[in-house]
């Protein structure tokens, strides 16, 4: 059973930075794509950034372009989200997602439980 584990959330002041990380547990044959989504109170979950395994296709929400960077370390099966110049409107629970080929060549989308990011002075 694959599970995703996020880390790196916290409380920072506006203009600050955080780096989120996400790693799967369980058997992973190959990760096809990775991404980060977020959900603010009272709002729907929205895409923040996604990347393919090769990194050839990277997408960002317009609201985070130039401030956030998604990266991955395939040797560690880890995806990161470097967040800079954080704004109060970035406050949300951030979720990691991965499209994973696992045991028996099964392929599924997995989601982490989320990590809280709060931006406040």
């Amino acid at each position: 059973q694959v599970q995703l584990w996020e880390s790196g959330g916290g409380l920072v002041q506006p203009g600050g930075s955080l780096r989120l990380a996400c790693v799967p547990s369980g058997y992973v044959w190959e990760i096809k794509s990775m991404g980060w989504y977020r959900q603010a109170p009272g709002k729907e979950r929205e895409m923040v950034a996604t990347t393919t395994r090769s990194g050839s296709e990277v997408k960002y929400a317009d609201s985070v372009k130039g401030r956030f960077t998604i990266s991955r370390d395939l040797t560690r099966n880890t995806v990161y989200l470097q967040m800079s110049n954080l704004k109060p409107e970035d406050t949300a629970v951030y979720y990691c997602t991965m499209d994973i080929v696992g045991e028996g060549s099964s392929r599924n989308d997995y989601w982490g439980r989320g990590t809280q990011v709060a931006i406040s002075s």
Side-chain angles (χ1 to χ4, degrees), residues 17-32:
S17 299
L18 283 174
R19 188 176 81 153
L20 307 182
C22 176
V23 61
S25 62
Y27 181 77
V28 175
W29 172 251
E30 186 177 67
I31 301 174
K32 294 294 190 180

Side-chain angles (χ1 to χ4, degrees), residues 39-80:
Q39 187 167 19
K43 294 187 177 181
E44 294 186 354
R45 190 173 297 189
E46 63 174 354
M47 186 274 290
V48 176
T50 61
T51 181
T52 53
R53 173 182 175 81
S54 66
S56 61
E57 295 182 31
V58 179
K59 298 180 181 179
Y60 292 98
D62 287 342
S63 59
V64 307
K65 284 181 180 177
R67 300 188 298 121
F68 291 11
T69 302
I70 188 171
S71 62
R72 74 267 182 270
D73 182 344
L74 298 179
T75 65
R76 298 174 184 268
N77 283 339
T78 302
V79 62
Y80 301 97

Side-chain angles (χ1 to χ4, degrees), residues 60-121:
Y60 292 98
D62 287 342
S63 59
V64 307
K65 284 181 180 177
R67 300 188 298 121
F68 291 11
T69 302
I70 188 171
S71 62
R72 74 267 182 270
D73 182 344
L74 298 179
T75 65
R76 298 174 184 268
N77 283 339
T78 302
V79 62
Y80 301 97
L81 185 68
Q82 178 67 48
M83 306 184 293
S84 302
N85 190 21
L86 284 160
K87 303 176 181 180
E89 51 264 42
D90 295 318
T91 295
V93 177
Y94 284 69
Y95 298 90
C96 166
T97 181
M98 293 186 182
D99 177 3
I100 293 174
V101 179
E103 196 166 358
S105 298
S106 63
R107 180 173 177 176
N108 293 287
D109 289 324
Y110 296 91
W111 290 83
R113 294 186 176 184
T115 185
Q116 177 71 53
V117 171
I119 314 304
S120 176
S121 55

Side-chain angles (χ1 to χ4, degrees), residues 1-17:
Q1 179 74 12
V2 174
Q3 290 184 289
L4 302 186
W5 302 93
E6 300 107 335
S7 62
L11 172 64
V12 297
Q13 294 184 341
S17 299

